[in-house]
Each structure stands twice: as structure tokens, then as C-alpha cells.
Amino acid sequence: GNSVTQMEGPVTLSEEAFLTINCTYTATGYPSLFWYVQYPGEGLQLLLKATKADDKGSNKGFEATYRKETTSFHLEKGSVQVSDSAVYFCAEANNAGNMLTFGGGTRLMVKP
Amino acid sequence: NAGVTQTPKFRILKIGQSMTLQCTQDMNHNYMYWYRQDPGMGLKLIYYSVGAGITDKGEVPNGYNVSRSTTEDFPLRLELAAPSQTSVYFCASLRSQGGTGELFFGEGSRLTVL
């Protein structure tokens, strides 16, 4: 079956540092790709998405570009804040768009 | 819209007890899902439903049951609680027709089995 692999955490950064969380997927074709964020004590919520190759999803200063040639969807932010501390999940959708496969999650801790 | 609502938020069970985690959504979504998230781990799919009256097993269905009598409700039943079922449970929904593949999650139900 399909799988999504993301870098293991925790990732610890100082405020205003540059963030990259790597994500690769295995599905063939052009699955929609997502980044979800889970703040402490809460459920997951959609951070950004991309539905076709070379699309760039962006939200709250985060970006990720759909790279078909490397089957990747890495999450980046130029300057992280303490409030970005959370667990980030990469996910891909099946062709029908009704089942998501999640990566294992990456915990980000940002220190002042 | 309230979105996806789960109850209870916290529960402690003794081994062998049974309980039902409630989930309801007010977005008229066809698809609903139950996931569990163990400490420091990702999400594992327990059961899902493509519409009222239809349910199917996910990755880790043993020890659980579900029903989907209405579009809105998708309760998860634990019949004989075991310590291995200590986890945080998330319900989610998705609109299948013309949707974006975006899942909407509830806030989670933290279950401890002692």
C-alpha cells in the first residue's frame, strides 16, 4: 500500500530560525498532498495542501511545493515562532480523494 | 457549524468495562473515520464509513465496533476494554462529492484503561 515518510522529531529550533520538515510519498499518479498541524491538546487541522505537480501550498508563513520528480512535499517556514510549536503531519490522498495516508508526525519545539 | 464534535473528552475505564465514544458532524459529510493516536505516534485508522448504513474496517479494528445509522453520527464502541486501548481517539469527516480531500477532525477523546 501507499506510505508517507517524514523526518523523525523532535525538531528543536530557536525563534526566527528556518524550518524544513521533509516528507516523501509513494503513491503513483498525482495524489493530493497535505500538511496537517496538531497543537497541544487539540485535534489535527489542515495547514496547507497541493493538488497537482508544481503546486505550492501556503498558509501562516508555511509553504510546501508538490515535487513529482522527487515524490516530495517538504514543509518550510522562513522564521519560526514559539507559537509554531506543534506536531506536523504529512498526508497523501488516494485517487478518489476519500482516504488519507498519514506520515508518523514530526514534533517541532521552538524556543524563545 | 460546530464541525465534528466528540464526547467524552476524557474517560478512565477498568479492564473489561465497555463504553461508547460519540461522534457527530453537522457538515452533511458522507465519509466519517475513527483514528487512534498512541503517545508519540502517528494516526492509525480503526474504522470508517462511506455513508449511512455502511461501515468498513481500517488498519486496527480489533476490539472495536461502529455503526452509522445516520449521516451525522458515527459512534465507536469498546466492548471489553483492555490496557492496549489506552489512547487518544479522533473522529473525522470528509465530503466525498466535489470535496478537496480535506479531513475535519474532532478535538479527541482521551481514554485510559486501568
Side-chain angles (χ1 to χ4, degrees):
Chain A
N2 296 337
S3 66
V4 175
T5 302
Q6 56 183 109
M7 60 190 292
E8 289 192 17
V11 174
T12 304
L13 296 174
S14 298
E15 206 164 22
E16 299 184 1
F18 184 86
L19 169 71
T20 299
I21 300 177
N22 291 338
C23 171
T24 57
Y25 64 94
T26 62
T28 57
Y30 294 87
S32 292
L33 301 174
F34 306 82
W35 277 100
Y36 281 80
V37 59
Q38 183 182 29
Y39 298 105
E42 299 183 10
L44 282 71
Q45 57 186 276
L46 181 66
L47 178 61
L48 54 84
K49 67 181 181 189
T51 57
K52 59 183 187 291
D54 299 325
D55 260 3
K56 177 183 286 188
S58 61
N59 186 26
K60 299 181 181 179
F62 291 89
E63 293 183 338
T65 301
Y66 191 140
R67 301 286 188 200
K68 179 65 176 174
E69 63 276 15
T70 54
T71 61
S72 65
F73 192 54
H74 304 323
L75 182 69
E76 296 181 336
K77 187 174 185 181
S79 176
V80 294
Q81 305 300 312
V82 173
S83 57
D84 294 326
S85 298
V87 181
Y88 293 82
F89 291 90
C90 186
E92 66 175 12
N94 62 357
N95 289 336
N98 55 29
M99 192 66 68
L100 267 61
T101 300
F102 287 90
T106 303
R107 180 177 299 278
L108 170 66
M109 295 188 291
V110 181
K111 298 184 175 180
Chain B
N1 286 351
V4 179
T5 303
Q6 291 181 233
T7 57
K9 286 187 168 43
F10 303 94
R11 183 73 186 269
I12 297 174
L13 283 180
K14 294 181 179 179
I15 294 172
Q17 286 186 319
S18 61
M19 76 158 297
T20 300
L21 299 177
Q22 302 291 344
C23 175
T24 187
Q25 53 93 7
D26 61 359
M27 297 172 283
N28 200 32
H29 285 174
N30 307 99
Y31 281 73
M32 296 188 74
Y33 310 81
W34 274 106
Y35 292 92
R36 60 177 286 173
Q37 183 181 35
D38 297 330
M41 305 291 286
L43 298 172
K44 293 184 178 179
L45 182 64
I46 305 171
Y47 269 95
Y48 67 99
S49 168
V50 305
I54 306 170
T55 63
D56 210 345
K57 296 178 181 179
E59 183 184 2
V60 289
N62 291 346
Y64 307 93
N65 277 300
V66 293
S67 59
R68 185 93 182 271
S69 57
T70 66
T71 299
E72 294 79 19
D73 300 309
F74 190 42
L76 178 72
R77 177 100 179 143
L78 286 71
E79 289 294 350
L80 290 170
S84 61
Q85 294 178 304
T86 294
S87 189
V88 180
Y89 292 84
F90 289 99
C91 181
S93 71
L94 177 149
R95 182 164 61 93
S96 61
Q97 298 296 329
T100 60
E102 176 185 354
L103 283 175
F104 293 81
F105 283 84
E107 293 187 344
S109 299
R110 184 177 296 275
L111 176 66
T112 302
V113 182
L114 300 175

